[in-house]
């Protein structure tokens, strides 16, 4: 199983993507889109809200984000208005948004006393509280939320474990503290702090946090015969498209549905490997510890929260940008679509001149389904040989680390951190002068890109498939 | 004893709706039950792609199958 559980909310989102692609192909998006909430949320569809009307209202907001539009800035606009000009979609700013109607305003009292409280004689909770926030009412401890400092001492001291730490799933997973509650107790994302890692999207059990999609824009581009569009597939793509679907079949199908070119981003990663190992050696000579720059979420977190370490960031562009830059250099008119497991890449692309659109693997598989192609039945293949084994290893944590060590012939002592929490630990130590590496590979997702929010399969299985695919490359790194 | 056949569709529409979670569920079954079942994968089960994930167990088709539902279906029929 992938890290990302396929809940009913996830299924509904995927079904929506498929429907939108089908409507694009039938060229009836503008005419039909206002009817879509009613068509997809029927009286007998499983419901999670009070009534089908609220369910449909929320679904309409989901559609706006699927079209690439902000839900927050387009509150009273009808869907067909948005659908009639897809290229006004602001899929540039605020990649991740809270759908207000869907956010259940989870309780925000951090510590609560449960019925397991026995009103024991010791009263360890009461005695440990530094703020005198605990009183005994009706034979049970009670926390005065106005006084509570949220230190957690009472919860640790209670011999019955009767005091519960209660936090919103979105807040709990956000390592950069970007989610707060507004006056209506709804979650709000601080855009400046958010690194678009996508954890909150996966964590919210109400599906109230979503990322904007470019699926309809990309569908439009590949359907246009007079425009050229390239698919840039991330190193982590191997195995994401189904049990028996080979990388070569994925390439064949992408060309078949209208992409004019398919290139491995591992090709750019090859050049990043050379450039970054050269930079690492240069840095070593200048006593500068180098931090990797391929994960945009890791990079943004350093800029935001570790400004002292900003100069340690590698100046090498990410593999995505490197690959796209080369494509655009030879053909400035070509549309570039990056395909990966990542939400942060959506923001990195929006800030760049060279990447036009980003799709996650989830979105691309929905797109292929919309074209009514069953990958498991396709036997045709197209050869893929854009990259060496080095570039292909960027997909999992420790991959870049290994590449840098090998290319520097052991001169560079490299280390790696996966998941923002571990990255923060390493960076904090580095700031305090307590680190023993010359190069740090930082990845915002556990397991690296293969553990990203837009991935489809178990990271362990993905890693094995990628390792095999990397070994299969007979290209040498120039 | 002949084994009951569990066929899970892994075609792209079913895969998108979570067929891999069903395979994972089968793989993690306790051997007492797993020994009574033979797993087969299919590219498409009777063109019911709109209702995925689709499975066939003991010659009967089931639609919109989740791991929880699969658990009930299997346990009911293998007692």
């Amino acid at each position: 199983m992938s890290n990302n559980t396929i809940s009913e909310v996830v299924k509904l989102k995927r079904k929506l993507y498929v429907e939108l692609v089908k409507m694009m192909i039938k060229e009836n998006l503008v005419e039909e889109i206002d009817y879509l909430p009613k068509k997809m949320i029927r009286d007998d569809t499983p419901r999670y809200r009070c009534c089908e009307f609220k369910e449909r209202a929320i679904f309409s907001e989901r559609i706006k984000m699927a079209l690439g539009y902000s839900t927050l800035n387009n509150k009273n606009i009808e869907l067909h208005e948005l659908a009639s000009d897809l290229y006004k979609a602001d899929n540039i700013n605020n990649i991740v948004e809270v759908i207000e109607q869907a956010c259940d305003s989870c309780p925000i009292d951090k510590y609560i006393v449960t019925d397991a409280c026995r009103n024991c004689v010791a009263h360890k909770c009461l005695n440990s509280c530094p703020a005198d926030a605990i009183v005994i009412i009706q034979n049970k401890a009670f926390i005065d939320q106005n006084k509570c400092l949220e230190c957690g001492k009472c919860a640790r001291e209670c011999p019955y474990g009767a005091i519960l730490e209660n936090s919103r799933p979105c807040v709990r997973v956000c390592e950069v503290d970007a989610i707060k509650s507004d006056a209506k107790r709804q979650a709000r994302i601080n855009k400046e702090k958010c690194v678009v890692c996508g954890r909150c999207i996966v964590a919210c059990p109400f599906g109230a946090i979503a990322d904007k999609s470019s699926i309809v824009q990309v569908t439009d581009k590949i359907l246009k015969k007079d425009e050229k569009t390239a698919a840039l597939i991330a190193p982590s793509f191997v195995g994401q498209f189904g049990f028996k679907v080979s990388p070569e079949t994925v390439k064949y199908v992408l060309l078949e549905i209208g992409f004019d070119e398919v290139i491995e981003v591992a090709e750019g990663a090859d050049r990043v490997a050379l450039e970054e190992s050269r930079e690492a050696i240069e840095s070593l000579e200048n006593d500068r510890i180098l931090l990797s720059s391929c994960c945009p979420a890791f990079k943004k977190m350093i800029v935001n929260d570790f400004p002292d370490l900003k100069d340690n960031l590698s100046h090498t562009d990410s593999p995505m940008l490197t690959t796209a830059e080369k494509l655009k250099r030879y053909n400035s008119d070509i549309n570039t679509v990056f395909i990966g497991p990542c939400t942060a890449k959506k923001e990195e692309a929006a800030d760049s001149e060279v990447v036009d659109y980003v799709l996650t693997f989830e979105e691309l598989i929905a797109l292929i389904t919309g074209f009514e192609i069953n990958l498991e039945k396709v036997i045709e293949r197209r050869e893929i040989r854009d990259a060496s084994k080095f570039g292909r290893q960027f997909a999992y944590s420790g991959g870049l680390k290994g590449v840098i060590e090998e290319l520097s012939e052991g001169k560079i002592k490299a280390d790696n951190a996966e998941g923002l929490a571990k990255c923060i630990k390493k960076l904090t130590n580095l700031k305090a002068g307590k680190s023993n590496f010359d190069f740090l590979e930082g990845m915002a997702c556990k397991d690296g890109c293969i553990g990203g929010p837009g991935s489809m399969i178990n990271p362990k299985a993905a890693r094995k498939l990628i390792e095999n695919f990397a070994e299969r490359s007979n290209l040498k790194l120039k | 004893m002949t084994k009951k056949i569990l066929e899970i569709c892994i075609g792209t529409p079913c895969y998108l709706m979570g067929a891999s979670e069903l395979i994972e569920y089968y793989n993690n079954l306790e051997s007492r039950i797993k020994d009574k079942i033979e797993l087969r994968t299919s590219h498409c089960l009777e063109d019911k792609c709109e209702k995925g994930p689709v499975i066939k167990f003991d010659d009967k088709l089931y639609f919109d199958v989740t791991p929880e539902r699969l658990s009930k279906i299997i346990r009911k029929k293998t007692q």
Side-chain angles (χ1 to χ4, degrees):
Chain A
M1 199 163 70
S2 141
N3 288 345
N4 315 321
T5 328
I6 307 170
S7 66
E8 291 305 315
V9 178
V10 172
K11 285 184 195 176
L12 190 63
K13 176 178 77 176
R14 293 180 180 178
K15 281 182 186 161
L16 167 63
Y17 288 153
V18 175
E19 279 307 309
L20 291 174
V21 171
K22 284 185 177 169
M23 289 156 93
M24 289 298 292
I25 295 170
K26 282 192 206 145
E27 296 181 26
N28 63 5
L29 183 74
V30 182
E31 297 78 36
E32 296 291 327
I33 197 154
D34 288 336
Y35 305 107
L36 200 54
K38 207 163 178 188
K39 187 179 152 196
M40 290 190 65
I41 312 285
R42 293 183 310 270
D43 307 351
D44 58 345
T45 321
R47 273 205 316 265
Y48 307 96
R49 269 99 190 176
C50 53
C51 58
E52 68 260 36
F53 304 106
K54 179 153 191 209
E55 204 78 52
R56 282 179 197 145
I58 292 168
F59 193 64
S60 294
E61 300 308 308
R62 265 186 225 295
I63 297 179
K64 288 177 189 172
M65 293 192 71
L67 294 174
Y69 280 91
S70 161
T71 136
L72 300 173
N73 303 334
N74 294 294
K75 281 187 183 152
N76 297 313
I77 297 177
E78 292 202 50
L79 294 173
H80 71 265
E81 287 179 62
L82 299 178
S84 60
D85 193 351
L86 296 173
Y87 294 97
K88 275 206 188 125
D90 42 5
N91 30 16
I92 311 167
N93 293 308
N94 287 341
I95 301 297
V96 182
E97 284 187 355
V98 178
I99 300 174
E100 286 182 355
Q101 293 94 321
C103 178
D104 196 54
S105 318
C106 304
I108 45 175
D109 294 341
K110 184 100 191 253
Y111 289 94
I112 46 173
V113 184
T114 65
D115 285 348
C117 172
R118 304 267 291 106
N119 189 13
C120 60
V121 180
H123 281 160
K124 286 196 174 178
C125 57
L126 203 141
N127 295 330
S128 68
C129 179
D132 287 332
I134 301 183
V135 285
I136 306 296
I137 295 177
Q138 288 180 345
N139 220 16
K140 199 181 144 190
F142 174 83
I143 302 173
D144 182 344
Q145 297 295 341
N146 294 322
K147 285 187 180 170
C148 176
L149 303 172
E150 302 187 345
C151 67
K153 278 197 181 124
C154 56
R156 285 192 295 275
E157 289 291 325
C158 174
Y160 296 100
I163 300 178
L164 210 66
E165 184 182 345
N166 186 23
S167 62
R168 297 181 159 198
C170 57
V171 172
R172 198 183 314 139
V173 296
C174 182
E175 299 287 352
V176 294
D177 226 2
I179 306 184
K180 293 271 174 287
S181 306
D182 66 8
K184 288 185 283 177
R185 283 193 162 198
Q186 286 192 321
R188 259 218 195 277
I189 300 171
N190 178 346
K191 195 198 164 222
E192 301 308 318
K193 294 219 80 181
C194 170
V195 297
V196 203
C197 69
R199 285 281 93 81
C200 55
I201 302 173
V202 179
C204 176
F206 286 89
I209 306 182
D211 55 329
K212 290 182 196 163
S213 177
S214 298
I215 192 164
V216 286
Q217 288 81 0
V218 173
T219 308
D220 185 49
K221 291 294 179 195
I222 59 176
L223 287 171
K224 281 195 171 117
K225 294 269 178 294
D226 55 342
E227 284 191 44
K228 294 260 176 269
T229 303
L232 289 69
I233 41 178
S236 50
F237 85 104
V238 187
Q240 298 287 337
F241 292 81
F243 294 87
K244 293 165 188 165
V245 183
S246 68
E248 287 81 4
T249 296
V250 174
K251 180 171 178 179
Y252 168 83
V253 167
L254 291 178
L255 292 169
E256 198 62 15
I257 60 175
F259 285 100
D260 299 281
E261 200 171 325
V262 175
I263 185 166
E264 291 181 73
V265 171
E267 188 270 343
D270 269 350
R271 284 178 288 141
V272 169
L274 286 173
E275 182 60 27
E276 209 148 86
S277 54
R278 191 197 53 73
E279 197 184 352
I281 288 183
E282 200 181 282
S283 298
L284 183 65
E285 287 160 4
N286 296 319
D287 267 341
R288 166 182 174 242
I289 290 166
L290 194 67
L291 304 173
S292 69
S293 64
C294 31
C295 171
F298 176 67
K299 199 172 160 180
K300 190 173 173 193
M301 183 179 75
I302 291 173
V303 174
N304 283 349
D305 302 340
F306 295 88
D308 299 350
L309 299 176
K310 225 163 71 178
D311 293 334
N312 294 75
L313 270 170
S314 161
H315 300 301
T316 312
D317 271 340
S318 72
M320 173 180 85
L321 296 179
T322 308
T323 308
E325 194 273 328
K326 187 176 165 189
L327 283 169
K328 289 271 190 190
R329 205 184 325 140
Y330 291 113
N331 184 354
S332 58
D333 292 332
I334 199 162
N335 303 304
T336 46
V337 183
F338 173 82
I339 293 155
C342 184
T343 42
K345 286 284 176 198
K346 293 187 178 191
E347 189 173 79
E348 189 189 7
D351 292 337
S352 87
E353 305 269 302
V354 290
V355 182
D356 299 308
Y357 303 101
V358 171
L359 292 184
T360 60
F361 294 134
E362 178 186 40
E363 289 166 333
L364 181 66
I365 295 168
L367 189 147
I368 291 170
T369 307
F371 275 80
E372 295 186 8
I373 292 175
N374 182 346
L375 289 156
E376 296 283 345
K377 282 187 181 172
V378 180
I379 48 165
E380 289 90 344
R381 299 156 70 93
R382 284 282 176 281
E383 191 191 18
I384 305 185
R385 57 190 310 264
D386 302 316
S388 79
K389 67 169 190 187
F390 290 99
R392 288 180 177 176
Q393 292 173 37
F394 275 54
Y396 45 81
S397 64
L400 173 61
K401 171 191 173 218
V403 168
I404 296 284
E405 282 175 339
E406 194 172 335
L407 290 179
S408 71
E409 290 162 346
K411 275 189 224 121
I412 302 290
K413 194 167 181 309
D415 199 356
N416 72 300
E418 46 166 322
L420 283 176
K422 286 186 187 163
C423 291
I424 290 169
K425 231 179 225 164
K426 295 252 175 186
L427 292 171
T428 310
N429 282 342
L430 172 60
K431 219 172 109 182
K434 287 188 289 187
S435 57
N436 52 355
F437 50 79
D438 309 316
F439 176 86
L440 178 68
E441 166 209 294
M443 299 252 209
C445 294
K446 192 176 169 293
D447 297 306
C449 306
I450 47 176
S455 65
M456 300 289 291
I457 63 169
N458 178 312
K460 275 199 191 85
R463 186 179 173 127
K464 230 176 231 146
L465 291 166
I466 292 165
E467 282 170 346
N468 289 343
F469 186 59
E471 283 309 319
R472 255 167 58 194
S473 171
N474 49 18
L475 285 188
K476 292 267 171 294
L477 200 58
K478 278 156 260 167
Chain B
M1 198 186 84
T2 53
K3 289 188 176 188
K4 290 199 161 71
I5 292 167
L6 169 67
E7 218 173 336
I8 299 179
C9 177
I10 55 166
T12 304
C14 288
Y15 176 69
L16 186 65
M17 288 299 136
S20 52
E21 294 195 334
L22 305 181
I23 301 221
E24 181 103 358
Y25 176 81
Y26 168 84
N27 287 336
N28 292 330
L29 270 175
E30 61 261 42
S31 52
R32 185 175 57 85
I33 295 181
K34 200 174 176 179
D35 290 344
K36 294 180 189 166
I37 301 171
E38 184 186 329
L39 176 72
R40 289 182 191 167
T41 54
S42 160
H43 293 164
C44 193
L45 283 171
E46 308 196 10
D47 283 325
K48 300 286 186 202
C49 307
E50 312 264 305
K51 295 184 175 177
V54 183
I55 68 152
K56 199 184 218 177
F57 186 61
D58 205 16
D59 275 329
K60 192 170 179 285
L61 273 180
Y62 298 87
F63 309 110
D64 289 317
V65 181
T66 58
E68 296 76 37
R69 260 198 86 201
L70 182 61
S71 160
K72 280 185 196 149
I73 295 166
I74 287 178
R75 276 161 216 280
K76 206 170 157 192
K77 289 215 169 192
T78 48
Q79 270 170 13

